[in-house]
């Protein structure tokens, strides 16, 4: 492997330390995402990045009071929409009022990520299946960077 790819493989949590500390359940997917990226397995890297994000979303769902037993992309994006779009600010609980700028920005990001990446992965009989293998190296790099940025924000700014 070239040196930059070897570093991704051997130090798979580099740059993700804050995320792994706040969301330990995301660790395996972060490591696998970077190892797949190092080995040019781009669809697999995207798959693991989406799984890592879902760990953060489940935690966000707990803060939001999501009661869906299958908390994740759909339940959290729905709850965010309820708070940010469908509820008057004055009717929100103080914890959500205090976090409103964060929730508003995260809502926009979650919707975009869900439409762009998550919807390319399907739950088929209890397991995740990648619906497309159409991820080029540059696109995959951008997805990984965006995933890290989003997860770092959750790790450092989520109450």
């Amino acid at each position: 492997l070239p040196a930059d790819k070897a570093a991704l493989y051997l130090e798979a949590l580099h740059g993700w330390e804050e995320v792994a500390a706040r969301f330990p359940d995301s660790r395996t997917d972060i490591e696998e995402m970077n190892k797949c990226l190092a080995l040019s397995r781009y669809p697999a890297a995207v798959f693991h990045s989406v799984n890592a994000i879902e760990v953060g979303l489940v935690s966000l769902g707990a803060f939001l009071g999501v009661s869906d037993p299958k908390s994740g992309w759909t339940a959290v994006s729905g709850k965010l929409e309820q708070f940010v779009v469908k509820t008057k600010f004055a009717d929100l609980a103080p914890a959500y009022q205090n976090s409103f700028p964060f929730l508003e920005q995260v809502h926009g990001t979650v919707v975009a990520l869900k439409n762009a990446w998550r919807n390319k992965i399907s739950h088929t009989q209890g397991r995740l299946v990648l619906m497309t293998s159409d991820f080029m190296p540059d696109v995959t790099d951008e997805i990984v960077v965006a995933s890290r940025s989003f997860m770092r924000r959750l790790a450092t700014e989520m109450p």
Side-chain angles (χ1 to χ4, degrees):
L1 289 175
D4 61 330
K5 298 281 189 175
L8 262 178
Y9 192 91
L10 296 171
E11 299 171 36
L13 286 175
H14 179 70
W16 289 79
E17 294 85 0
E18 294 167 310
V19 174
R22 176 88 188 250
F23 309 112
D25 289 345
S26 69
R27 222 181 143 99
T28 298
D29 279 304
I30 293 167
E31 290 173 342
E32 290 301 316
M33 172 194 65
N34 280 319
K35 288 178 179 183
C36 288
L37 189 58
L39 297 172
S40 302
R41 299 185 67 180
Y42 303 116
V46 171
F47 174 84
H48 287 292
S49 79
V50 169
N51 283 347
I53 290 172
E54 192 152 17
V55 172
L57 290 177
V58 168
S59 184
L60 178 59
F63 169 69
L64 298 174
V66 170
S67 58
D68 187 330
K70 294 182 181 179
S71 180
W73 289 90
T74 302
V76 172
S77 65
K79 187 63 106 170
L80 282 167
E81 181 177 1
Q82 178 188 343
F83 285 171
V84 172
V85 178
K86 296 180 178 178
T87 304
K88 292 179 184 174
F89 182 81
D91 294 337
L92 291 171
Y96 303 129
Q97 287 180 348
N98 293 338
S99 301
F100 193 79
F102 168 77
L103 296 175
E104 190 173 42
Q105 292 168 15
V106 167
H107 171 253
T109 304
V110 168
V111 169
L113 295 179
K114 182 179 176 205
N115 291 339
W117 308 332
R118 170 58 181 86
N119 289 345
K120 294 181 186 288
I121 298 174
S122 173
H123 288 268
T124 304
Q125 298 183 11
R127 64 192 237 312
L128 294 173
V129 176
L130 196 60
M131 301 299 289
T132 181
S133 60
D134 228 9
F135 295 103
M136 302 305 292
D138 291 345
V139 171
T140 303
D141 287 341
E142 290 169 4
I143 289 171
V144 168
V145 168
S147 298
R148 184 176 60 200
S149 174
F150 177 72
M151 288 295 288
R152 187 178 294 142
R153 182 145 195 218
L154 287 183
T156 60
E157 296 179 35
M158 185 173 65

